[in-house]
Amino acid sequence: MELKQAHIISGTGMSFSHPIPDLFSAAFDTPDFSFFPGFCDVHVHFREPGFSYKETIATGSKAAAHGGYTSVCTMPNLAPVPDSPAHLQEQTDIINRDARIAVYPYGAITIGEAGNALSAMDELAPKVIAFSDDGRGVQSEEMMKRAMLKAKQLGKIIAAHCEVNSLLHGGYIHDGAYAKNHGHRGISSESEYAEIERDLRLAETTGCAFHVCHISAKESVSLIREAKADGVDVTCETAPHYLLLDENDLEEDGRFKMNPPLRSKEDKAALLAGLKDGTIDMIATDHAPHSKEEKSLGLEKSPFGITGLETAFPILYTGLVKTGIITLEKLIDLLSKNPRTRFSIPDNGYSVWNLNESYRINPADFYSMGKSTPFEGAEVFGRNYLTVCSSKAVYCRNELVKK
């Protein structure tokens, strides 16, 4: 197929070129369409191997393409956990067979993510994007220090789920007004920021490149801002739901349950401030699908996690750009340029959006097997019509195919 060069808006405000299939070039030759570099999500759960009833590499990567993503990084809470080359191979075989976009696996920090012994980091390093025990924090300070020293030696990033288990007390939503008023057990903000404080100190001591996953608390923002000012090699992410929702939006429904939880208005305000001043480097979805049956069990009994890849850009564009909180160029930086720069992920495609088109989010339209989202029914602007990855159309809206 003949390829033409399409101008794409980059996060820096500059334009650059990417091939667009000639078949589609005429369809997008109108002011209605905007071209963006392929989004990059450094924090997704595709559940395979081990939990394919929740999501697969095939369905997860198809959902990513639908959302305009051309690169994602998959977390290691799988079965088997990718803590050795043999275990990792089970995942990469599926990726090579089924992935529609670029999928970069994480290696586990510890064997089985159990926190007791380091994984085969030396052997894994050439084959993984970074190391993480996502889904649980590394509780031992000594173990985390050893991991950071090894990661520093290998030139790899440690991406940490920061959570102190002893401070959880069986909680499952934020320890705030909603929990108290509705009789729920709360998760304190300290369970997050106490471990971030520890790990920032270790990162400064070891010189390790450190990345903090899904921050949600105002104290976390302050700690990371201070660490950056002190020269610590740290970046961080937050997720769309922490920027757009807080505990006042909670309902007695499993689609509002994620970890960390939705926190207070003050926490959300601090995250937005950190987004604007550069403390928060990127937005990752923490796409964490579960079955319909699992998420039907309410706030207390349903598992943590919501889907996010197919809603991220529309809800962020609607909630942050159209409201004037950040610019469109800033949003593209947060979704594409910054994560690619930090994790050394090459640009590999683009997506084409009609930013004027509005609709209501309907999980029935998702390609993901996970349908649980707190944004169900929300009116948003921005619909994706085409995603191209490595010069191949990996998502194309039905109307365009018919045309």
Side-chain angles (χ1 to χ4, degrees), residues 300-311:
E300 180 179 1
K301 296 183 178 180
S302 67
F304 292 111
I306 59 171
T307 58
L309 285 165
E310 295 171 88
T311 59

Side-chain angles (χ1 to χ4, degrees), residues 30 99 110 140 145 166 169 256 289 300 313 315 317 332 361:
T30 77
T110 63
S140 164
K145 183 177 182 180
S166 63
H169 306 302
F256 289 87
E300 180 179 1
F313 181 81
I315 61 175
Y317 175 72
I332 301 305
I361 291 175

Side-chain angles (χ1 to χ4, degrees), residues 45-95:
H45 301 266
F46 280 177
R47 306 301 193 194
E48 196 176 26
F51 308 96
S52 56
Y53 72 94
K54 299 173 186 277
E55 187 81 289
T56 65
I57 298 294
T59 59
S61 62
K62 191 173 183 180
H66 184 205
Y69 288 87
T70 57
S71 305
V72 297
C73 304
T74 53
M75 286 297 178
N77 47 347
L78 302 167
V81 171
D83 52 15
S84 69
H87 288 167
L88 177 66
Q89 190 66 48
E90 294 190 37
Q91 183 186 8
T92 54
D93 285 347
I94 303 170
I95 291 170

